[in-house]
Amino acid sequence: QVQPVESGGGLVQAGGSLRLSCAASGRTLVGYDMGWFRQAPGKEREFVAGIRRSGTSTYFADAVKGRFTISRDNAKNTVTLQMDSLKPEDTAVYYCAASGMVSNWLKADMAYWGKGTLVTVSS
């Protein structure tokens, strides 16, 4: 079974940028739809961005459109979330998840989850 592993989280000032990376342990990510989700303290986990297995179709939550970019490099077996113009509201634990083809990018539709990486955006 594929096991996503996130990296790249940290502390950044508002307006700054971070780049998160997701790699696979155990199996290649090729052939999976991949999504990034986030969860702030006391809140439910929410969808952030998704990318089809081909890398040709991407999807974003309204809150991050125009600021975040998702991409994948199947040759390197990685999925990247580039986060620009970060806001304090972006503070959360970010999770990488994998699944077969999904319709609505709901957290319940994702089959395999990483353990998360913390992103903190200061004012």
Side-chain angles (χ1 to χ4, degrees), residues 95-110:
Y95 298 88
C96 180
S99 184
M101 181 177 291
V102 299
S103 298
N104 300 310
W105 299 98
L106 302 176
K107 60 181 182 294
D109 294 330
M110 310 306 292

Side-chain angles (χ1 to χ4, degrees), residues 29-34 51-59 71-74 101:
L29 297 177
V30 176
Y32 293 93
D33 282 358
M34 301 296 301
I51 187 168
R52 297 294 183 196
R53 61 182 181 180
S54 66
T56 58
S57 298
T58 59
Y59 308 84
S71 62
R72 70 191 303 162
D73 187 338
N74 286 339
M101 181 177 291

Side-chain angles (χ1 to χ4, degrees), residues 5 38 68 84 90 118:
V5 180
R38 67 186 182 186
F68 290 11
D84 299 321
D90 296 318
L118 177 62

Side-chain angles (χ1 to χ4, degrees), residues 6-112:
E6 307 93 338
S7 63
L11 175 64
V12 64
Q13 294 183 14
S17 299
L18 280 177
R19 182 186 181 189
L20 305 183
S21 181
C22 178
S25 176
R27 277 198 174 192
T28 178
L29 297 177
V30 176
Y32 293 93
D33 282 358
M34 301 296 301
W36 285 95
F37 294 72
R38 67 186 182 186
Q39 186 168 20
K43 298 184 179 296
E44 296 185 357
R45 192 171 301 183
E46 64 180 5
F47 170 75
V48 175
I51 187 168
R52 297 294 183 196
R53 61 182 181 180
S54 66
T56 58
S57 298
T58 59
Y59 308 84
F60 299 93
D62 289 341
V64 306
K65 286 182 179 178
R67 299 188 297 118
F68 290 11
T69 302
I70 187 171
S71 62
R72 70 191 303 162
D73 187 338
N74 286 339
K76 297 181 178 179
N77 198 29
T78 58
V79 177
T80 297
L81 183 68
Q82 178 67 43
M83 306 185 295
D84 299 321
S85 301
L86 284 163
K87 305 175 181 179
E89 305 92 273
D90 296 318
T91 296
V93 175
Y94 283 71
Y95 298 88
C96 180
S99 184
M101 181 177 291
V102 299
S103 298
N104 300 310
W105 299 98
L106 302 176
K107 60 181 182 294
D109 294 330
M110 310 306 292
Y112 311 103

